[in-house]
Every structure is written in C-alpha cells, then in structure tokens.
Amino acid sequence: MNKTSSGPVRTAVLVVLGLIWLAPLYLLIVNASKSVDSYDAATVWKPSGFSLFGNVAEAWEKAALSDTLVATTIYSVVSPILAVLIGAAAGYAIVVLRLRYGFLWFIVIFGGTIFPLQMVLMPLFSGYADTGLYDTRTGMVIVYTAISVPFSAFVMRNFFTGIARSVFEAAIVDGGGMFRIFRSIYLPMAGSALAAIFILQATFVWNDLLLGLTLSQSESVRPIMPALTGLQSTYGGAALPTVLAGGLLVSLPTVVLFLAAQRFFSRGLALGQF
C-alpha cells in the first residue's frame, strides 16, 4: 500500500477509534440530560428532553457538594504543590548535590509506590485515629502529599539528570548557595515539568475515592467523590440521571485545568530537554 492510499485509511481508523473513545462521554451527557421520568435503560442511546440543569441542581443539593467542594479544592491545590516542591528538592539533592547513597534514597522514596494502597489502609486508618488526624483537613492534606511525592521525585530526578552539570558549577563559582541555586535556577528551569506533575497529581487527588472514604466522615472534610457516591446509596435515593449529572459536574474542573495548562503539560513531558 503506497503513501497516497494509506492516508485515508489511517484517517478512517483514527476517526473510528475517536468515536469509540467518545461513546461513554456521549452516554453520560445524553442520560444526564434526561428527566427522571423519561429515563429508560432500554433507550440509553437515544436523546430525550433536556433536564441537565435541573438534574445538576438536584445532585448539588442531595450530595451537599457545596460543603465538599471547598475541602476538595484545598486538597487538590495544596497537596500537589507540596508534593512537587518536595519531589523537586529530593531530585535536586540526589542528582545535583550528589547526595551520598543517593540512588538508595531514591529507591526508598519511590518504593512507596510498590505496594498497593489497599494494603496500608487499615494501619493508616488506625494511625490516623490514634493521632487525631482522622476526619481532619490537615490529615487529608498530609496523606495526599505523601502519596504524590514518589512520582514527583521520580520525574524530577529524571529531569535534573538532563541538565548539564556545568550549570551548577557556574552558579557555585558565582557565589550562589545551595538553596539559592535550587530556588533561582533549577526550579525556574523545571517549570514545565513541575506544571505537568501538578496537573497529574491534582487530577488524581480530585478523583480520589478510596482515601476519602477511609479517612474522612464529615461533609466539611470528605472529598467530593465520596460525597457523590452517596447519591447511589440506599439512603441517597437519587435517580440515575441525577447521579450522572453530578458526575458530569464534578469532572469539569479537571477538564478545565488540563485544557488551560495543556501547553505546560506537553512541554513538561519532554524530560531532559536541556
């Protein structure tokens, strides 16, 4: 097959794959827009009426999303910021400062991602209950930061490896201190990588369900995803269009974040560009 004939075939395949990928989104929007009375499982692919705003309002009220939105925003902003700073500091110490046994320290930090999260839920719950961190915003920020640091350290270590050693040596000759070099030179150079890590970790924290269910209880502390699951519980009493409308609503912030920072995200994936 020559290049001329392969072009339309490639385009057709990409279009089909794109439509398959968009099919769940279509089902979400169509069924979230149906009224409770008109919803029928046999006609999920067929649009019927438009009650999206009414369903969103009902989901907002029944799930008490206003109470959880503030807490989730705090977790999704503060924890990723702390994680990227700690990860950048770890990568700087291991690669640039050539910390003694640096690779061993890196293995220790990144080793936190080896074990499934479900394995540590029970001891984590017990520790939080004993220390008074259970059902507190401080406790949620701590745990989200802790689980985000390994990935941040991994990415930043790889990124700093691609920066020439002469940059650090020149800064030392100019009289720069270790912290000042990190703050004024390496952090600005790694801006795109930091932004990419922040987007990924903020999305993870926003979409978290397991930790929120385990370590929080009150509406002012619980993240938004566990609150949304209450719509499907026995006591929630919400119809499926209302649940889908709530899911569509809470997914919008992460979509907006990615679209707004897409340029930084794409540049941050090009590690070792210096």
Side-chain angles (χ1 to χ4, degrees):
M1 182 180 293
N2 57 40
K3 184 181 296 184
T4 303
S5 60
S6 64
V9 175
R10 185 184 300 111
T11 301
V13 171
L14 292 177
V15 169
V16 171
L17 293 177
L19 292 176
I20 295 175
W21 185 82
L22 290 173
L25 179 61
Y26 169 80
L27 288 174
L28 174 63
I29 296 176
V30 166
N31 291 279
S33 302
K34 294 181 180 180
S35 63
V36 175
D37 298 332
S38 63
Y39 175 77
D40 186 358
T43 59
V44 292
W45 291 93
K46 182 180 179 181
S48 176
F50 188 81
S51 302
L52 178 62
F53 297 118
N55 293 336
V56 168
E58 184 178 358
W60 182 275
E61 181 180 358
K62 283 192 173 184
L65 297 182
S66 58
D67 297 327
T68 62
L69 182 61
V70 175
T72 309
T73 302
I74 293 174
Y75 307 150
S76 301
V77 174
V78 176
S79 294
I81 288 177
L82 293 176
V84 297
L85 291 178
I86 296 173
Y92 175 76
I94 294 172
V95 175
V96 182
L97 300 184
R98 296 181 177 177
L99 182 67
R100 190 177 183 183
Y101 306 116
F103 185 74
L104 179 61
W105 281 110
F106 171 73
I107 294 298
V108 171
I109 296 173
F110 193 69
T113 63
I114 296 177
F115 303 100
L117 187 59
Q118 291 83 351
M119 291 181 60
V120 300
L121 281 180
M122 184 56 68
L124 188 61
F125 174 81
S126 300
Y128 265 50
D130 294 338
T131 57
L133 290 174
Y134 176 76
D135 198 32
T136 63
R137 289 183 176 179
T138 301
M140 298 304 297
V141 169
I142 291 175
V143 71
Y144 284 135
T145 302
I147 63 177
S148 301
V149 165
F151 177 75
S152 302
F154 171 77
V155 174
M156 295 312 302
R157 174 185 175 273
N158 292 344
F159 189 89
F160 288 147
T161 301
I163 298 179
R165 179 71 180 176
S166 58
V167 174
F168 177 74
E169 295 173 350
I172 290 293
V173 172
D174 290 340
M178 301 299 178
F179 178 74
R180 184 178 179 183
I181 294 174
F182 173 67
R183 180 193 63 189
S184 302
I185 298 178
Y186 278 84
L187 280 184
M189 292 178 69
S192 297
L194 295 174
I197 300 171
F198 175 84
I199 294 171
L200 291 173
Q201 298 305 320
T203 302
F204 167 77
V205 173
W206 185 275
N207 293 326
D208 171 67
L209 174 64
L210 189 59
L211 290 173
L213 284 174
T214 305
L215 303 178
S216 64
Q217 184 177 12
S218 61
E219 293 179 352
S220 60
V221 177
R222 175 159 286 189
I224 200 167
M225 288 300 172
L228 185 63
T229 59
L231 290 174
Q232 295 179 290
S233 66
T234 304
Y235 304 100
L240 188 57
T242 302
V243 177
L244 294 177
L248 181 62
L249 175 65
V250 301
S251 65
L252 288 179
T254 54
V255 175
V256 173
L257 173 64
F258 178 79
L259 293 177
Q262 186 176 8
R263 177 170 61 91
F264 299 100
F265 183 77
S266 301
R267 291 176 55 189
L269 294 181
L271 302 178
Q273 56 185 318
F274 293 99

